[in-house]
Amino acid sequence: MNVCPLCNGLRRVTVCCSSCRQPMEDQGKVTDYFDDYSPYMDADMMKQFDGYARTYTNHECVHLFYCPRCQAEEVRFIQE
């Protein structure tokens, strides 16, 4: 079983905003924003509906990052 190092607090990453170059904040998995019950669903099952074709087979967790300075959002693929 693969686990996301960010979701499980095993690692931290610093992502800089592509617009203003300031550090961005990790807002968690993109799939957690689908509906009220998404955070409680099986992560591997949700990868089938996340809109990215290879997240399940490549063992990637899709995270949303937010820039508090310029309000930009970016999606990053985190290797599990």
Side-chain angles (χ1 to χ4, degrees):
M1 178 178 185
N2 298 306
V3 296
C4 174
L6 297 185
C7 290
N8 290 284
L10 302 173
R11 178 168 60 102
R12 293 179 58 113
V13 296
T14 302
V15 174
C16 292
C17 178
S18 59
S19 299
C20 69
R21 306 304 304 158
Q22 294 298 309
M24 299 184 87
E25 299 171 353
D26 181 12
Q27 301 297 304
K29 296 184 294 185
V30 170
T31 55
D32 285 354
Y33 294 94
F34 285 179
D35 65 35
D36 293 341
Y37 296 101
S38 294
Y40 307 106
M41 302 295 288
D42 179 63
D44 285 339
M45 185 188 79
M46 292 303 291
K47 288 179 184 181
Q48 297 175 20
F49 305 103
D50 65 5
Y52 302 98
R54 301 209 177 265
T55 54
Y56 182 76
T57 56
N58 291 345
H59 305 290
E60 296 170 323
C61 188
V62 185
H63 276 251
L64 177 66
F65 287 86
Y66 172 76
C67 179
R69 183 173 183 200
C70 70
Q71 290 80 43
E73 295 177 339
E74 294 183 19
V75 171
R76 296 289 173 101
F77 296 87
I78 307 301
Q79 189 65 48
E80 297 178 332

